[in-house]
């Protein structure tokens, strides 16, 4: 069945990346097979959650892990777990005044909106956000100076969304946390490295299941055994509103296992696939295109398109025109105000790449013909 036609939906070419607004990733046949099995069977759900978590943890040499509904749920449930420390009273009264140790410290430049503000997830877990440092700078000393008897944990966000310059490293954040007998929570939602952060001894590491691992709509939290037990306990508390289905648990477990075993696309392979698109875009009047690496240092390369003064339209107009076509073409727009957009090709096929080049040419030609100018 063609569900695009059934529901009158627009087809999408995702040149934006692993984005929630577009459904994040495509599933492999292995993942779909695991989901189908899960959807057609019954389980003792606590048993399923515990044993899949333990199985995945062994694959990456972590103490334990637990699958949750999303990375956002992982943040909220991790915060609630650390605040509650296994207390059943807190579990059923998560915002009780009996618990005062609720402050979650994070660098000011890490208090970002990734589709929702990260502070929303912290507060959902019962935490109180305490920003350290400044928007363009945060050091170990800035973090340490904000610690009080009410501090519950330190949160570090490893993401391209955050300020990158003049920020303390994960290693430095971990050192400050452990010097003050506090846990460090690492939000590594879109990161691709499943080993390094866990091996550093970080207390809780949170990933999105659907991004780097191309798994189901899900998240996973790795960490110390006791802390993971407390996170898992939240399924009877605030986590009840964030529960994940059996089919997605098995789908993510399969996706992670496949991710560990498979050879991912190398930097050189990605650049080679990008080359024809970059060449095509460079042939368009008013457009300059080059290959650019992800600013957060991940091994991801994209086509970086710059709209210059010779073009008959600006970057904002180009982005909107790409979205309004069918198929709609979504790009990365973070530097659109500077005349720059990027094409992330990780989920783009060869045929879709040709459509991108053709569509950009058509849009520029249309604006040239109609005499439209910069707004």
């Amino acid at each position: 069945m063609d569900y695009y036609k059934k529901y009158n939906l627009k087809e999408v070419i995702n040149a934006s990346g692993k984005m929630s607004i577009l459904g994040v990733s495509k599933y492999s046949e292995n993942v779909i097979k695991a989901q189908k099995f899960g959807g057609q069977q019954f389980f003792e759900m606590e048993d399923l959650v515990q044993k899949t978590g333990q199985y995945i943890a062994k694959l990456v040499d972590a103490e334990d892990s637990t699958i949750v509904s999303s990375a956002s749920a992982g943040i909220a449930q991790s915060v609630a777990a650390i605040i509650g420390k296994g207390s059943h009273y807190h579990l059923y009264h998560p915002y009780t005044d009996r618990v005062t140790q609720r402050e979650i410290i994070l660098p000011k430049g890490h208090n970002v909106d990734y589709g929702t503000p990260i502070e929303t997830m912290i507060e959902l877990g019962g935490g109180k956000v305490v920003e350290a440092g400044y928007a363009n700078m945060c050091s170990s000393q800035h973090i340490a100076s904000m610690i009080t008897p009410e501090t519950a944990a330190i949160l570090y966000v490893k993401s391209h969304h955050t300020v990158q310059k003049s920020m303390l490293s994960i290693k430095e954040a971990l050192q400050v946390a452990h010097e003050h007998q506090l846990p460090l929570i690492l939000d590594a939602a879109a990161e691709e490295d499943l080993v390094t952060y866990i091996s550093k001894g970080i207390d809780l590491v949170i990933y999105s299941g659907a991004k780097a691992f191309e798994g189901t709509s899900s998240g996973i939290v790795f960490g110390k055994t006791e802390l993971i037990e407390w996170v898992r306990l939240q399924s009877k508390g605030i986590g009840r509103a964030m529960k994940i289905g059996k089919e997605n648990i098995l789908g993510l477990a399969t996706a992670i296992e496949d991710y560990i075993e498979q050879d991912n696309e190398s930097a050189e392979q990605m650049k080679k696939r990008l080359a024809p698109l970059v060449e095509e875009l460079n042939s368009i009047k008013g457009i300059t295109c080059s290959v650019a690496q992800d600013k957060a240092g991940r091994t991801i390369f994209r086509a970086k398109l710059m709209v210059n003064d010779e073009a008959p339209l600006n970057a904002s107009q180009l982005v909107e025109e790409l979205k309004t076509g069918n198929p709609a073409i979504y790009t990365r727009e973070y530097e659109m105000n500077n005349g720059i957009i990027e094409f992330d090709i990780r989920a783009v096929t060869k045929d879709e790449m040709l459509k991108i080049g053709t569509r950009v040419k058509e849009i520029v030609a249309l604006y040239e013909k109609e005499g439209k100018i910069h707004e």
Side-chain angles (χ1 to χ4, degrees):
M1 183 178 293
D2 187 335
Y3 290 99
Y4 287 112
K5 289 181 180 179
K6 180 176 181 178
Y7 298 115
N8 192 27
L9 300 171
K10 187 185 290 186
E11 292 186 44
V12 173
I13 294 175
N14 179 7
S16 181
K18 308 294 178 70
M19 307 298 287
S20 296
I21 60 167
L22 301 178
V24 193
S25 297
K26 295 176 181 177
Y27 301 160
S28 70
E29 289 300 321
N30 260 1
V31 170
I32 293 170
K33 185 178 177 181
Q35 283 186 294
K36 183 178 179 180
F37 179 84
Q40 295 179 334
Q41 311 299 326
F42 293 105
F43 306 89
E44 294 178 345
M45 291 302 294
E46 287 187 18
D47 191 48
L48 178 66
V49 170
Q50 182 174 1
K51 288 181 179 174
T52 52
Q54 291 171 344
Y55 180 88
I56 296 168
K58 286 180 182 178
L59 297 179
V60 295
D61 201 26
E63 287 188 25
D64 202 353
S65 75
T66 189
I67 296 174
V68 292
S69 63
S70 65
S72 291
I75 294 168
Q77 289 174 241
S78 293
V79 167
I82 286 171
I83 291 170
K85 296 181 173 62
S87 161
H88 277 72
Y89 180 83
H90 170 269
L91 184 69
Y92 302 131
H93 306 279
Y95 310 113
T96 175
D97 291 338
R98 289 191 191 182
V99 178
T100 59
Q101 199 175 19
R102 293 184 174 274
E103 293 180 355
I104 307 295
I105 300 173
L106 77 161
K108 188 179 184 71
H110 287 196
N111 193 4
V112 295
D113 187 317
Y114 57 88
T116 191
I118 195 162
E119 62 185 349
T120 300
M121 293 302 107
I122 293 170
E123 290 170 359
L124 182 59
K128 178 182 177 183
V129 176
V130 175
E131 294 180 339
Y134 302 92
N136 65 337
M137 177 190 302
C138 185
S139 66
S140 299
Q141 289 74 27
H142 287 131
I143 296 284
S145 69
M146 303 307 292
I147 295 172
T148 72
E150 282 70 51
T151 303
I154 295 170
L155 174 64
Y156 192 103
V157 182
K158 177 64 176 170
S159 169
H160 65 279
H161 289 296
T162 63
V163 175
Q164 303 295 315
K165 66 177 184 178
S166 302
M167 285 288 157
L168 80 167
S169 66
I170 295 173
K171 182 179 179 180
E172 289 170 329
L174 182 63
Q175 184 176 350
V176 174
H178 286 185
E179 282 177 355
H180 292 82
Q181 292 77 53
L182 293 169
L184 178 68
I185 304 170
L186 177 65
D187 173 8
E191 290 299 296
E192 300 179 327
D193 191 330
L194 256 177
V195 177
T196 300
Y197 306 127
I198 294 166
S199 68
K200 290 180 183 293
I202 296 170
D203 302 277
L204 290 173
V205 184
I206 302 162
Y207 292 93
S208 165
K211 291 185 177 175
F213 314 135
E214 297 187 341
T216 52
S217 294
S218 56
I220 187 165
V221 187
F222 291 92
K224 305 295 176 62
T225 302
E226 184 177 47
L227 296 184
I228 294 297
E229 287 175 356
W230 293 349
V231 174
R232 206 176 278 134
L233 184 64
Q234 290 303 313
S235 65
K236 301 180 188 297
I238 66 164
R240 179 69 178 182
M242 313 168 195
K243 64 182 178 181
I244 181 170
K246 55 190 179 177
E247 70 286 348
N248 282 354
I249 292 172
L250 289 175
L252 177 59
T254 300
I256 290 178
E257 193 166 19
D258 288 350
Y259 179 82
I260 292 169
E261 293 176 355
Q262 72 189 10
D263 292 325
N264 295 309
E265 186 175 26
S266 69
E268 291 309 310
Q269 289 170 330
M270 205 175 294
K271 290 177 187 177
K272 187 176 180 179
R273 281 208 303 128
L274 275 167
L277 176 62
V278 171
E279 183 179 356
E280 177 84 353
L281 294 175
N282 269 323
S283 71
I284 303 171
K285 181 182 177 182
I287 299 293
T288 303
C289 192
S290 59
V291 175
Q293 186 174 359
D294 178 72
K295 287 190 174 181
R298 294 177 294 173
T299 312
I300 301 170
F301 291 84
R302 305 183 178 100
K304 180 180 179 180
L305 180 154
M306 177 173 284
V307 181
N308 59 45
D309 291 338
E310 294 181 11
L313 77 175
N314 58 36
S316 176
Q317 290 168 321
L318 178 57
V319 165
E320 288 309 307
E321 293 288 354
L322 287 169
K323 285 181 181 178
T324 55
N326 195 1
I329 299 171
Y330 276 74
T331 63
R332 297 177 73 81
E333 308 165 12
Y334 300 114
E335 295 185 82
M336 187 171 64
N337 61 315
N338 295 320
I340 296 169
I341 63 175
E342 291 185 327
F343 298 90
D344 187 315
I345 63 161
R346 284 176 291 169
V348 178
T349 66
K350 186 177 180 180
D351 286 345
E352 289 175 335
M353 207 106 69
L354 292 172
K355 289 179 182 179
I356 290 171
T358 299
R359 183 63 183 143
V360 174
K361 271 189 171 180
E362 288 174 349
I363 293 167
V364 173
L366 178 66
Y367 271 67
E368 186 103 51
K369 181 180 178 181
E370 295 187 359
K372 293 182 178 180
I373 59 174
H374 296 280
E375 291 180 349

